[in-house]
Amino acid sequence: MALQFYNTLTRSIEPFVPLDPSANRVGMYCCGPTVYDFGHIGNFRTFVFSDLIRRYLEFCGVSVNHVMNVTDVEDKIISRVREKQISLRDYVSQYENAFLEDLKTLGCLQPHSLPRATEHIPEIIKLIEQLVARGIAYRAPDGSVYFSIEKYQGCGCRYGQLVNLNFDQMRPGERVASDEYSKESIADFALWKARVPGDGSVFWSSPWGEGRPGWHIECSAMSMRYLGPSFDIHLGGEDLAFPHHEDEIAQSEGSGLQPAGQRFVKYWLHGAHLLVEGKKMSKTLGNFFTLRDLLQMGFSGREVRRLLLTSHYRETFNFTRDGLEESRAALGRLDECILKLQESAGKTQAEPDPGLLTQFTQAMDEDLNVSGAWGVIFEWVRETNKLLASGQITAAKAAAGLAAWSRIDSVFGLGFKAEAEAPPEIQQLLEERLAARKAKDFKRADALRDELKVKGWVIEDTPKGARLKRV
Ligand code: AMP
Ligand code: ZN
Protein backbone atom coordinates (compact mmCIF):
# COMPACT_ATOMS: atom_id res chain seq x y z
CA MET A 1 0.00 0.00 0.00
CA ALA A 2 1.47 3.36 -1.04
CA LEU A 3 -1.15 5.38 0.84
CA GLN A 4 -0.03 8.48 2.72
CA PHE A 5 -1.91 10.62 5.21
CA TYR A 6 -1.25 13.95 6.88
CA ASN A 7 -0.97 13.10 10.55
CA THR A 8 -1.87 16.01 12.85
CA LEU A 9 0.19 14.32 15.58
CA THR A 10 3.47 14.55 13.67
CA ARG A 11 2.41 17.51 11.49
CA SER A 12 3.65 15.67 8.43
CA ILE A 13 2.60 13.43 5.59
CA GLU A 14 3.40 9.86 6.52
CA PRO A 15 3.07 6.49 4.81
CA PHE A 16 0.09 4.65 6.22
CA VAL A 17 1.31 1.53 8.02
CA PRO A 18 -1.34 -0.17 10.16
CA LEU A 19 -0.42 -0.90 13.78
CA ASP A 20 -0.55 -4.59 12.97
CA PRO A 21 0.42 -4.88 9.30
CA SER A 22 0.09 -8.67 9.29
CA ALA A 23 -3.57 -8.60 10.40
CA ASN A 24 -4.62 -6.34 7.52
CA ARG A 25 -7.19 -4.89 9.87
CA VAL A 26 -7.55 -1.26 10.83
CA GLY A 27 -9.43 0.33 13.70
CA MET A 28 -10.94 3.73 12.93
CA TYR A 29 -12.86 6.02 15.28
CA CYS A 30 -14.72 9.11 14.19
CA CYS A 31 -16.26 11.50 16.71
CA GLY A 32 -19.94 11.32 15.96
CA PRO A 33 -22.82 13.76 16.23
CA THR A 34 -24.16 15.47 19.31
CA VAL A 35 -27.80 14.61 18.76
CA TYR A 36 -29.52 17.79 19.92
CA ASP A 37 -30.69 18.94 16.47
CA PHE A 38 -30.58 17.98 12.77
CA GLY A 39 -27.08 17.68 11.34
CA HIS A 40 -25.92 20.63 9.23
CA ILE A 41 -23.99 20.45 6.00
CA GLY A 42 -20.71 21.26 7.80
CA ASN A 43 -21.15 18.24 10.07
CA PHE A 44 -21.81 16.11 7.01
CA ARG A 45 -18.64 17.29 5.31
CA THR A 46 -16.77 15.62 8.16
CA PHE A 47 -18.86 12.44 8.05
CA VAL A 48 -18.53 12.10 4.26
CA PHE A 49 -14.77 12.56 4.72
CA SER A 50 -14.66 9.72 7.24
CA ASP A 51 -16.77 7.56 4.90
CA LEU A 52 -14.29 8.30 2.10
CA ILE A 53 -11.35 7.15 4.23
CA ARG A 54 -13.10 3.96 5.21
CA ARG A 55 -14.09 3.20 1.63
CA TYR A 56 -10.62 3.96 0.27
CA LEU A 57 -8.96 1.69 2.85
CA GLU A 58 -11.38 -1.05 1.87
CA PHE A 59 -10.59 -0.40 -1.80
CA CYS A 60 -6.92 -0.94 -0.87
CA GLY A 61 -7.88 -4.35 0.53
CA VAL A 62 -7.81 -3.46 4.23
CA SER A 63 -10.60 -4.55 6.52
CA VAL A 64 -11.81 -1.57 8.57
CA ASN A 65 -13.54 -1.60 11.92
CA HIS A 66 -15.36 1.73 11.84
CA VAL A 67 -16.66 3.10 15.13
CA MET A 68 -18.61 6.33 15.57
CA ASN A 69 -19.99 7.43 18.91
CA VAL A 70 -23.30 9.16 19.43
CA THR A 71 -23.08 11.93 22.03
CA ASP A 72 -26.46 11.66 23.68
CA VAL A 73 -25.69 13.43 26.95
CA GLU A 74 -23.98 16.82 27.04
CA ASP A 75 -24.57 20.45 28.15
CA LYS A 76 -26.65 21.54 25.09
CA ILE A 77 -28.79 18.40 25.17
CA ILE A 78 -29.55 18.82 28.86
CA SER A 79 -30.64 22.40 28.41
CA ARG A 80 -32.99 21.40 25.52
CA VAL A 81 -34.42 18.51 27.54
CA ARG A 82 -35.09 20.94 30.38
CA GLU A 83 -36.79 23.45 28.04
CA LYS A 84 -38.98 20.82 26.35
CA GLN A 85 -39.71 18.86 29.52
CA ILE A 86 -39.31 15.47 27.87
CA SER A 87 -37.10 12.52 28.67
CA LEU A 88 -33.52 12.52 27.45
CA ARG A 89 -34.06 9.39 25.34
CA ASP A 90 -37.24 10.72 23.71
CA TYR A 91 -35.51 13.96 22.88
CA VAL A 92 -32.30 12.54 21.39
CA SER A 93 -33.76 9.55 19.57
CA GLN A 94 -35.58 11.70 16.99
CA TYR A 95 -32.28 13.38 16.04
CA GLU A 96 -30.29 10.17 16.19
CA ASN A 97 -32.73 8.53 13.75
CA ALA A 98 -32.66 11.58 11.51
CA PHE A 99 -28.85 11.48 11.53
CA LEU A 100 -28.77 7.84 10.44
CA GLU A 101 -31.28 8.58 7.69
CA ASP A 102 -29.17 11.53 6.53
CA LEU A 103 -26.04 9.36 6.41
CA LYS A 104 -27.93 6.95 4.16
CA THR A 105 -29.21 9.78 1.94
CA LEU A 106 -25.61 10.85 1.50
CA GLY A 107 -24.50 7.34 0.54
CA CYS A 108 -22.35 6.90 3.66
CA LEU A 109 -21.78 3.35 4.86
CA GLN A 110 -23.11 2.84 8.35
CA PRO A 111 -20.27 2.50 10.89
CA HIS A 112 -19.87 -1.02 12.30
CA SER A 113 -20.55 0.27 15.82
CA LEU A 114 -22.48 3.36 16.89
CA PRO A 115 -22.07 3.36 20.68
CA ARG A 116 -24.12 5.80 22.73
CA ALA A 117 -22.52 7.57 25.67
CA THR A 118 -25.48 6.86 27.96
CA GLU A 119 -25.05 3.13 27.38
CA HIS A 120 -21.38 3.17 28.41
CA ILE A 121 -21.52 4.81 31.82
CA PRO A 122 -19.84 1.79 33.57
CA GLU A 123 -16.90 1.91 31.11
CA ILE A 124 -16.61 5.67 31.62
CA ILE A 125 -16.64 5.34 35.42
CA LYS A 126 -14.04 2.59 35.27
CA LEU A 127 -11.70 4.75 33.20
CA ILE A 128 -12.10 7.68 35.59
CA GLU A 129 -11.39 5.34 38.52
CA GLN A 130 -8.19 4.28 36.80
CA LEU A 131 -7.12 7.90 36.43
CA VAL A 132 -7.97 8.62 40.06
CA ALA A 133 -6.03 5.53 41.16
CA ARG A 134 -2.98 6.74 39.20
CA GLY A 135 -3.19 10.12 40.92
CA ILE A 136 -3.96 11.99 37.67
CA ALA A 137 -7.61 12.73 38.44
CA TYR A 138 -9.07 14.13 41.65
CA ARG A 139 -12.47 14.77 43.19
CA ALA A 140 -13.33 18.45 43.66
CA PRO A 141 -15.33 19.61 46.70
CA ASP A 142 -18.62 19.65 44.73
CA GLY A 143 -18.29 15.94 43.80
CA SER A 144 -17.06 16.53 40.25
CA VAL A 145 -13.90 14.77 39.12
CA TYR A 146 -11.19 16.66 37.25
CA PHE A 147 -8.16 15.68 35.22
CA SER A 148 -4.97 17.23 36.60
CA ILE A 149 -2.77 18.42 33.78
CA GLU A 150 0.08 19.09 36.20
CA LYS A 151 0.03 15.50 37.55
CA TYR A 152 -0.23 14.11 34.04
CA GLN A 153 2.81 16.08 32.89
CA GLY A 154 4.56 15.05 36.10
CA CYS A 155 4.31 11.40 34.97
CA GLY A 156 6.39 12.25 31.92
CA CYS A 157 3.38 12.61 29.60
CA ARG A 158 2.89 15.60 27.33
CA TYR A 159 -0.27 17.68 27.21
CA GLY A 160 -0.28 19.55 23.89
CA GLN A 161 0.53 16.83 21.37
CA LEU A 162 -1.90 17.95 18.66
CA VAL A 163 -1.67 21.71 19.17
CA ASN A 164 1.03 23.95 20.58
CA LEU A 165 0.08 25.31 23.97
CA ASN A 166 1.52 28.09 26.03
CA PHE A 167 1.90 26.73 29.54
CA ASP A 168 3.18 30.06 30.92
CA GLN A 169 -0.37 31.29 31.18
CA MET A 170 -1.59 28.15 32.88
CA ARG A 171 -2.33 28.30 36.58
CA PRO A 172 -1.95 24.82 38.05
CA GLY A 173 -5.04 23.45 39.74
CA GLU A 174 -7.42 25.91 38.05
CA ARG A 175 -10.49 24.16 36.66
CA VAL A 176 -12.75 24.42 33.64
CA ALA A 177 -16.18 22.81 33.97
CA SER A 178 -17.46 23.44 30.44
CA ASP A 179 -16.72 20.87 27.72
CA GLU A 180 -15.78 23.55 25.24
CA TYR A 181 -12.97 25.98 26.01
CA SER A 182 -10.21 27.72 24.12
CA LYS A 183 -6.45 27.25 24.11
CA GLU A 184 -6.12 30.39 26.23
CA SER A 185 -8.06 28.81 29.05
CA ILE A 186 -6.28 25.49 29.43
CA ALA A 187 -6.95 24.15 32.89
CA ASP A 188 -7.93 20.95 34.64
CA PHE A 189 -10.97 19.66 32.78
CA ALA A 190 -14.04 17.80 34.00
CA LEU A 191 -14.26 14.01 33.67
CA TRP A 192 -17.35 13.66 35.84
CA LYS A 193 -19.77 16.51 36.50
CA ALA A 194 -21.60 16.48 39.82
CA ARG A 195 -25.38 16.67 39.59
CA VAL A 196 -26.84 20.16 39.73
CA PRO A 197 -30.56 21.05 39.93
CA GLY A 198 -30.64 22.06 36.24
CA ASP A 199 -29.75 18.48 35.20
CA GLY A 200 -33.28 17.34 36.11
CA SER A 201 -33.51 13.57 35.80
CA VAL A 202 -30.29 13.26 33.80
CA PHE A 203 -27.81 11.72 36.24
CA TRP A 204 -26.15 8.44 37.20
CA SER A 205 -24.65 7.15 40.44
CA SER A 206 -20.89 6.96 40.69
CA PRO A 207 -18.25 6.44 43.38
CA TRP A 208 -18.08 10.29 43.60
CA GLY A 209 -21.82 10.85 43.92
CA GLU A 210 -24.58 11.46 41.38
CA GLY A 211 -23.66 13.16 38.17
CA ARG A 212 -22.90 12.67 34.50
CA PRO A 213 -19.80 12.22 32.34
CA GLY A 214 -17.94 15.02 30.59
CA TRP A 215 -17.83 14.92 26.80
CA HIS A 216 -14.13 14.09 26.35
CA ILE A 217 -14.05 11.00 28.59
CA GLU A 218 -16.90 9.45 26.64
CA CYS A 219 -14.78 9.19 23.47
CA SER A 220 -11.75 7.77 25.33
CA ALA A 221 -13.88 5.13 27.03
CA MET A 222 -15.83 4.09 23.95
CA SER A 223 -12.99 4.14 21.43
CA MET A 224 -10.85 1.94 23.70
CA ARG A 225 -13.81 -0.32 24.49
CA TYR A 226 -14.42 -1.06 20.77
CA LEU A 227 -10.94 -0.74 19.28
CA GLY A 228 -8.54 -1.49 22.14
CA PRO A 229 -6.25 0.92 24.05
CA SER A 230 -4.18 1.57 20.95
CA PHE A 231 -5.65 1.86 17.47
CA ASP A 232 -4.90 3.15 13.99
CA ILE A 233 -6.98 6.17 12.98
CA HIS A 234 -8.96 8.83 14.82
CA LEU A 235 -10.92 11.44 12.88
CA GLY A 236 -12.98 14.53 13.34
CA GLY A 237 -13.42 18.12 12.23
CA GLU A 238 -10.53 20.53 12.85
CA ASP A 239 -12.42 22.24 15.68
CA LEU A 240 -12.14 19.04 17.70
CA ALA A 241 -8.32 18.96 17.80
CA PHE A 242 -8.43 21.19 20.90
CA PRO A 243 -9.60 20.59 23.53
CA HIS A 244 -11.58 17.44 22.66
CA HIS A 245 -8.89 15.32 21.02
CA GLU A 246 -6.06 16.66 23.15
CA ASP A 247 -8.09 15.67 26.23
CA GLU A 248 -8.85 12.26 24.73
CA ILE A 249 -5.10 11.61 24.36
CA ALA A 250 -4.45 12.79 27.93
CA GLN A 251 -7.20 10.60 29.42
CA SER A 252 -6.38 7.51 27.35
CA GLU A 253 -2.60 7.67 27.67
CA GLY A 254 -2.93 8.79 31.30
CA SER A 255 -4.74 5.52 32.02
CA GLY A 256 -1.54 3.65 31.14
CA LEU A 257 -3.48 0.95 29.29
CA GLN A 258 -1.36 1.04 26.12
CA PRO A 259 1.36 -1.56 25.57
CA ALA A 260 4.84 -0.11 26.21
CA GLY A 261 5.92 2.30 23.49
CA GLN A 262 2.50 2.53 21.87
CA ARG A 263 0.33 5.59 21.52
CA PHE A 264 -3.41 5.78 22.02
CA VAL A 265 -3.83 6.60 18.32
CA LYS A 266 -1.27 6.27 15.51
CA TYR A 267 -2.83 8.63 12.93
CA TRP A 268 -4.93 11.69 13.79
CA LEU A 269 -6.79 13.10 10.78
CA HIS A 270 -8.71 16.37 10.85
CA GLY A 271 -11.08 17.70 8.23
CA ALA A 272 -11.16 21.45 7.58
CA HIS A 273 -14.37 23.37 8.01
CA LEU A 274 -16.98 24.17 5.45
CA LEU A 275 -18.19 27.71 4.72
CA VAL A 276 -21.45 28.48 2.94
CA GLU A 277 -21.35 31.16 0.22
CA GLY A 278 -17.97 32.28 1.62
CA LYS A 279 -19.04 32.72 5.24
CA LYS A 280 -19.17 30.73 8.44
CA MET A 281 -22.64 29.22 8.63
CA SER A 282 -25.03 31.06 10.87
CA LYS A 283 -28.77 31.21 11.25
CA THR A 284 -28.72 35.02 11.35
CA LEU A 285 -26.80 35.25 8.06
CA GLY A 286 -29.35 32.91 6.45
CA ASN A 287 -26.59 30.58 5.22
CA PHE A 288 -27.22 27.75 7.68
CA PHE A 289 -28.34 24.54 5.98
CA THR A 290 -29.23 21.13 7.27
CA LEU A 291 -29.12 18.32 4.72
CA ARG A 292 -32.90 18.36 4.84
CA ASP A 293 -32.97 22.02 3.76
CA LEU A 294 -30.94 21.13 0.66
CA LEU A 295 -33.29 18.25 -0.20
CA GLN A 296 -36.20 20.66 0.15
CA MET A 297 -34.48 22.95 -2.33
CA GLY A 298 -34.62 20.08 -4.85
CA PHE A 299 -31.07 18.74 -4.60
CA SER A 300 -30.43 15.06 -4.05
CA GLY A 301 -28.17 13.43 -1.47
CA ARG A 302 -26.07 12.18 -4.37
CA GLU A 303 -25.53 15.72 -5.70
CA VAL A 304 -24.58 16.98 -2.24
CA ARG A 305 -22.20 14.05 -1.71
CA ARG A 306 -20.47 14.60 -5.04
CA LEU A 307 -19.97 18.29 -4.18
CA LEU A 308 -18.51 17.42 -0.78
CA LEU A 309 -16.16 14.98 -2.50
CA THR A 310 -14.65 17.57 -4.82
CA SER A 311 -12.40 19.34 -2.35
CA HIS A 312 -9.42 18.13 -0.39
CA TYR A 313 -10.34 17.40 3.20
CA ARG A 314 -7.64 19.69 4.61
CA GLU A 315 -8.84 22.70 2.65
CA THR A 316 -11.58 24.97 3.86
CA PHE A 317 -14.42 24.36 1.45
CA ASN A 318 -16.83 26.96 0.16
CA PHE A 319 -20.20 25.27 -0.32
CA THR A 320 -22.40 27.21 -2.76
CA ARG A 321 -25.60 26.83 -4.71
CA ASP A 322 -23.57 27.18 -7.92
CA GLY A 323 -21.42 24.31 -6.71
CA LEU A 324 -24.54 22.17 -6.31
CA GLU A 325 -25.66 23.02 -9.85
CA GLU A 326 -22.20 22.11 -11.16
CA SER A 327 -22.34 18.89 -9.21
CA ARG A 328 -25.65 18.04 -10.87
CA ALA A 329 -24.20 18.75 -14.32
CA ALA A 330 -21.04 16.69 -13.63
CA LEU A 331 -23.10 13.72 -12.49
CA GLY A 332 -25.26 14.08 -15.61
CA ARG A 333 -22.14 13.87 -17.84
CA LEU A 334 -20.88 10.86 -15.93
CA ASP A 335 -24.23 9.07 -16.03
CA GLU A 336 -24.60 9.65 -19.75
CA CYS A 337 -21.18 8.17 -20.43
CA ILE A 338 -21.88 5.14 -18.21
CA LEU A 339 -25.23 4.55 -19.91
CA LYS A 340 -23.62 4.56 -23.35
CA LEU A 341 -20.84 2.25 -22.15
CA GLN A 342 -23.48 -0.14 -20.83
CA GLU A 343 -25.19 -0.14 -24.20
CA SER A 344 -21.85 -0.79 -25.96
CA ALA A 345 -20.75 -3.51 -23.53
CA GLY A 346 -24.03 -5.41 -23.65
CA LYS A 347 -23.50 -8.65 -21.76
CA THR A 348 -19.71 -8.62 -22.21
CA GLN A 349 -17.70 -8.80 -18.97
CA ALA A 350 -14.07 -7.71 -18.56
CA GLU A 351 -11.36 -7.03 -16.01
CA PRO A 352 -11.18 -3.35 -14.93
CA ASP A 353 -9.15 -1.05 -17.18
CA PRO A 354 -5.78 -1.07 -15.33
CA GLY A 355 -4.68 2.35 -16.64
CA LEU A 356 -7.67 4.16 -15.21
CA LEU A 357 -7.45 2.38 -11.87
CA THR A 358 -3.71 3.02 -11.52
CA GLN A 359 -4.10 6.74 -12.12
CA PHE A 360 -7.02 6.95 -9.71
CA THR A 361 -5.04 5.09 -7.04
CA GLN A 362 -1.97 7.28 -7.52
CA ALA A 363 -4.04 10.39 -6.89
CA MET A 364 -5.88 8.99 -3.87
CA ASP A 365 -2.71 7.58 -2.29
CA GLU A 366 -1.46 11.17 -2.00
CA ASP A 367 -3.37 11.99 1.18
CA LEU A 368 -6.70 11.51 -0.66
CA ASN A 369 -6.11 13.90 -3.54
CA VAL A 370 -9.70 13.88 -4.75
CA SER A 371 -9.21 16.74 -7.22
CA GLY A 372 -6.52 14.69 -8.94
CA ALA A 373 -8.84 11.67 -8.92
CA TRP A 374 -11.72 13.65 -10.48
CA GLY A 375 -9.29 15.01 -13.09
CA VAL A 376 -8.43 11.43 -14.06
CA ILE A 377 -12.10 10.43 -14.19
CA PHE A 378 -13.25 13.34 -16.34
CA GLU A 379 -10.29 12.89 -18.71
CA TRP A 380 -11.43 9.28 -19.10
CA VAL A 381 -15.03 10.46 -19.72
CA ARG A 382 -13.79 12.84 -22.45
CA GLU A 383 -11.71 10.13 -24.15
CA THR A 384 -14.52 7.61 -23.87
CA ASN A 385 -17.05 10.03 -25.33
CA LYS A 386 -14.73 10.59 -28.31
CA LEU A 387 -14.46 6.85 -28.91
CA LEU A 388 -18.22 6.42 -28.50
CA ALA A 389 -18.95 9.25 -30.93
CA SER A 390 -16.67 7.79 -33.59
CA GLY A 391 -18.07 4.30 -33.03
CA GLN A 392 -14.57 3.01 -32.22
CA ILE A 393 -15.28 1.37 -28.91
CA THR A 394 -15.40 -2.41 -28.64
CA ALA A 395 -17.67 -4.27 -26.25
CA ALA A 396 -14.57 -5.49 -24.37
CA LYS A 397 -13.17 -1.97 -23.95
CA ALA A 398 -16.53 -0.64 -22.82
CA ALA A 399 -16.82 -3.47 -20.28
CA ALA A 400 -13.28 -2.81 -18.98
CA GLY A 401 -14.13 0.87 -18.50
CA LEU A 402 -17.34 0.01 -16.68
CA ALA A 403 -15.55 -2.46 -14.41
CA ALA A 404 -12.94 0.19 -13.51
CA TRP A 405 -15.65 2.75 -12.82
CA SER A 406 -17.44 0.32 -10.59
CA ARG A 407 -14.23 -0.12 -8.49
CA ILE A 408 -13.76 3.65 -8.34
CA ASP A 409 -17.35 4.11 -7.32
CA SER A 410 -16.88 1.70 -4.43
CA VAL A 411 -14.83 4.63 -3.06
CA PHE A 412 -16.93 7.59 -4.19
CA GLY A 413 -20.23 5.85 -3.48
CA LEU A 414 -22.26 7.84 -6.01
CA GLY A 415 -24.05 5.01 -7.80
CA PHE A 416 -25.53 5.48 -11.22
CA LYS A 417 -28.74 7.09 -12.40
CA ALA A 418 -29.97 6.11 -15.86
CA GLU A 419 -32.02 9.26 -16.07
CA ALA A 420 -31.58 12.75 -14.76
CA GLU A 421 -33.30 13.08 -11.43
CA ALA A 422 -36.18 15.52 -11.51
CA PRO A 423 -36.52 17.70 -8.41
CA PRO A 424 -39.74 17.33 -6.38
CA GLU A 425 -41.45 20.44 -7.80
CA ILE A 426 -40.94 19.11 -11.34
CA GLN A 427 -42.29 15.69 -10.33
CA GLN A 428 -45.27 17.51 -8.88
CA LEU A 429 -45.99 19.24 -12.21
CA LEU A 430 -45.78 15.87 -13.97
CA GLU A 431 -48.31 14.43 -11.54
CA GLU A 432 -50.63 17.39 -12.03
CA ARG A 433 -50.44 16.84 -15.79
CA LEU A 434 -51.31 13.17 -15.37
CA ALA A 435 -54.30 14.14 -13.25
CA ALA A 436 -55.40 16.72 -15.86
CA ARG A 437 -55.22 14.11 -18.63
CA LYS A 438 -57.17 11.65 -16.55
CA ALA A 439 -59.84 14.32 -16.07
CA LYS A 440 -59.72 14.94 -19.83
CA ASP A 441 -58.67 18.54 -19.20
CA PHE A 442 -56.29 18.57 -22.19
CA LYS A 443 -55.89 22.32 -22.19
CA ARG A 444 -54.45 22.24 -18.67
CA ALA A 445 -52.37 19.16 -19.50
CA ASP A 446 -50.80 21.01 -22.45
CA ALA A 447 -50.21 24.12 -20.34
CA LEU A 448 -48.39 21.98 -17.76
CA ARG A 449 -46.30 20.37 -20.50
CA ASP A 450 -45.28 23.87 -21.67
CA GLU A 451 -44.48 24.96 -18.14
CA LEU A 452 -42.22 21.95 -17.69
CA LYS A 453 -40.47 22.76 -20.96
CA VAL A 454 -39.77 26.31 -19.80
CA LYS A 455 -38.23 24.77 -16.66
CA GLY A 456 -35.97 22.55 -18.80
CA TRP A 457 -37.85 19.23 -18.77
CA VAL A 458 -39.69 17.33 -21.50
CA ILE A 459 -42.23 14.58 -21.02
CA GLU A 460 -41.71 11.38 -22.96
CA ASP A 461 -44.82 9.23 -23.14
CA THR A 462 -43.50 5.67 -23.09
CA PRO A 463 -45.34 2.32 -22.90
CA LYS A 464 -44.38 2.28 -19.20
CA GLY A 465 -45.97 5.68 -18.64
CA ALA A 466 -44.79 9.29 -18.74
CA ARG A 467 -41.07 9.92 -18.11
CA LEU A 468 -39.22 13.16 -17.50
CA LYS A 469 -36.11 13.99 -19.53
CA ARG A 470 -33.91 17.07 -19.45
CA VAL A 471 -34.28 19.25 -22.54
P1 AMP B 1 -21.02 18.10 16.60
O1 AMP B 1 -22.31 17.37 16.36
O2 AMP B 1 -21.17 19.57 16.76
O3 AMP B 1 -20.20 17.47 17.71
O4 AMP B 1 -20.13 17.97 15.27
C1 AMP B 1 -19.98 16.76 14.57
C2 AMP B 1 -18.79 16.85 13.62
O5 AMP B 1 -18.98 17.90 12.66
C3 AMP B 1 -17.46 17.17 14.31
O6 AMP B 1 -16.45 16.31 13.77
C4 AMP B 1 -17.19 18.61 13.96
O7 AMP B 1 -15.82 18.89 13.92
C5 AMP B 1 -17.80 18.70 12.57
N1 AMP B 1 -18.17 20.06 12.15
C6 AMP B 1 -18.87 21.00 12.83
N2 AMP B 1 -19.02 22.14 12.10
C7 AMP B 1 -18.40 21.92 10.91
C8 AMP B 1 -18.17 22.69 9.71
N3 AMP B 1 -18.66 23.93 9.56
N4 AMP B 1 -17.48 22.11 8.70
C9 AMP B 1 -16.98 20.85 8.82
N5 AMP B 1 -17.16 20.07 9.92
C10 AMP B 1 -17.84 20.59 10.95
ZN1 ZN C 1 -15.06 12.53 20.36
Side-chain angles (χ1 to χ4, degrees):
M1 198 166 27
L3 176 59
Q4 304 197 351
F5 284 138
Y6 180 86
N7 189 353
T8 314
L9 194 61
T10 56
R11 293 159 183 79
S12 60
I13 302 229
E14 292 179 0
F16 178 69
V17 183
L19 270 178
D20 180 0
S22 61
N24 207 33
R25 205 173 153 71
V26 164
M28 175 173 125
Y29 186 89
C30 175
C31 289
T34 304
V35 281
Y36 70 101
D37 211 335
F38 293 110
H40 60 63
I41 190 61
N43 300 139
F44 286 113
R45 177 185 198 198
T46 297
F47 298 126
V48 166
F49 153 56
S50 85
D51 182 64
L52 177 70
I53 296 203
R54 164 173 168 188
R55 284 171 176 268
Y56 191 61
L57 286 167
E58 288 175 348
F59 171 92
C60 295
V62 177
S63 151
V64 181
N65 187 5
H66 180 192
V67 180
M68 182 192 283
N69 68 305
V70 174
T71 299
D72 60 351
V73 55
E74 165 279 355
D75 301 351
K76 289 188 287 287
I77 295 178
I78 291 184
S79 92
R80 298 275 177 106
V81 164
R82 198 173 50 229
E83 272 164 38
K84 310 246 174 220
Q85 305 231 322
I86 59 172
S87 79
L88 179 79
R89 183 93 301 268
D90 283 348
Y91 181 72
V92 295
S93 62
Q94 54 185 324
Y95 296 115
E96 187 183 309
N97 293 337
F99 171 74
L100 295 178
E101 242 176 59
D102 289 353
L103 275 191
K104 222 191 242 171
T105 305
L106 282 172
C108 294
L109 301 173
Q110 182 155 322
H112 300 100
S113 306
L114 282 156
R116 298 181 181 125
T118 56
E119 290 169 3
H120 292 78
I121 302 291
E123 286 89 341
I124 292 171
I125 290 179
K126 193 163 165 227
L127 183 56
I128 301 176
E129 281 183 314
Q130 238 144 351
L131 292 167
V132 172
R134 301 190 96 215
I136 293 174
Y138 61 94
R139 185 180 187 275
D142 73 340
S144 296
V145 181
Y146 282 87
F147 185 94
S148 162
I149 294 179
E150 198 188 13
K151 291 278 165 50
Y152 175 67
Q153 303 242 74
C155 299
C157 297
R158 188 155 77 89
Y159 188 75
Q161 297 190 31
L162 293 175
V163 288
N164 292 319
L165 296 171
N166 178 3
F167 285 97
D168 296 344
Q169 67 205 11
M170 191 179 153
R171 278 159 293 191
E174 209 156 279
R175 296 193 279 265
V176 50
S178 157
D179 284 330
E180 290 171 63
Y181 51 92
S182 67
K183 275 204 279 185
E184 289 66 48
S185 44
I186 31 168
D188 291 358
F189 58 89
L191 301 172
W192 185 261
K193 300 184 182 198
R195 183 181 174 193
V196 292
D199 290 345
S201 57
V202 184
F203 65 90
W204 290 265
S205 314
S206 82
W208 315 283
E210 288 167 344
R212 62 186 169 95
W215 171 37
H216 317 302
I217 194 76
E218 134 192 4
C219 280
S220 284
M222 292 195 284
S223 60
M224 294 200 288
R225 152 78 176 75
Y226 288 87
L227 297 170
S230 199
F231 58 92
D232 299 276
I233 302 176
H234 196 312
L235 302 148
E238 61 186 354
D239 58 313
L240 298 192
F242 188 87
H244 186 55
H245 290 162
E246 196 64 57
D247 289 353
E248 269 191 58
I249 296 178
Q251 296 159 152
S252 307
E253 297 191 352
S255 74
L257 291 168
Q258 289 71 27
Q262 276 194 25
R263 317 295 285 267
F264 164 48
V265 170
K266 190 166 179 193
Y267 298 90
W268 283 92
L269 272 63
H270 290 100
H273 264 201
L274 170 148
L275 304 175
V276 176
E277 305 290 351
K279 299 213 169 65
K280 191 174 168 202
M281 255 189 294
S282 96
K283 288 193 174 147
T284 41
L285 285 179
N287 68 344
F288 183 97
F289 294 104
T290 64
L291 176 64
R292 283 143 196 260
D293 294 331
L294 299 171
L295 301 181
Q296 280 271 315
M297 286 159 64
F299 294 101
S300 66
R302 183 175 184 244
E303 288 162 349
V304 175
R305 180 180 175 94
R306 141 84 200 173
L307 180 55
L308 292 175
L309 287 176
T310 52
S311 75
H312 192 267
Y313 73 92
R314 283 193 290 119
E315 276 168 8
T316 302
F317 180 54
N318 188 20
F319 190 89
T320 62
R321 194 183 170 107
D322 285 353
L324 281 169
E325 301 285 356
E326 278 162 26
S327 171
R328 175 172 289 172
L331 284 170
R333 277 204 304 284
L334 197 57
D335 287 342
E336 205 179 323
C337 177
I338 303 292
L339 183 64
K340 287 186 188 149
L341 281 178
Q342 285 177 340
E343 285 163 7
S344 301
K347 292 205 160 51
T348 306
Q349 300 279 327
E351 287 298 311
D353 175 344
L356 177 57
L357 276 190
T358 306
Q359 288 180 59
F360 170 77
T361 310
Q362 277 168 353
M364 293 295 283
D365 277 348
E366 264 177 53
D367 193 27
L368 304 179
N369 176 3
V370 285
S371 324
W374 281 114
V376 167
I377 293 164
F378 277 102
E379 184 53 34
W380 168 72
V381 168
R382 254 189 306 278
E383 288 300 314
T384 305
N385 282 340
K386 260 195 236 158
L387 291 178
L388 284 162
S390 59
Q392 284 175 6
I393 204 150
T394 60
K397 183 152 177 69
L402 282 176
W405 169 251
S406 146
R407 290 276 294 130
I408 289 173
D409 198 46
S410 70
V411 178
F412 281 160
L414 294 165
F416 163 68
K417 282 257 156 17
E419 289 159 45
E421 230 175 326
E425 75 268 17
I426 298 294
Q427 297 279 6
Q428 174 70 27
L429 289 176
L430 178 69
E431 273 162 34
E432 282 175 29
R433 176 178 171 267
L434 287 178
R437 277 171 66 111
K438 241 189 191 158
K440 302 219 182 312
D441 183 353
F442 296 112
K443 214 167 143 195
R444 172 144 173 81
D446 287 349
L448 284 162
R449 175 190 282 270
D450 292 344
E451 190 179 341
L452 278 166
K453 196 155 181 203
V454 170
K455 291 189 158 56
W457 296 84
V458 286
I459 301 170
E460 277 189 343
D461 287 308
T462 72
K464 286 189 187 156
R467 229 176 37 167
L468 282 165
K469 246 189 90 178
R470 278 207 178 272
V471 177

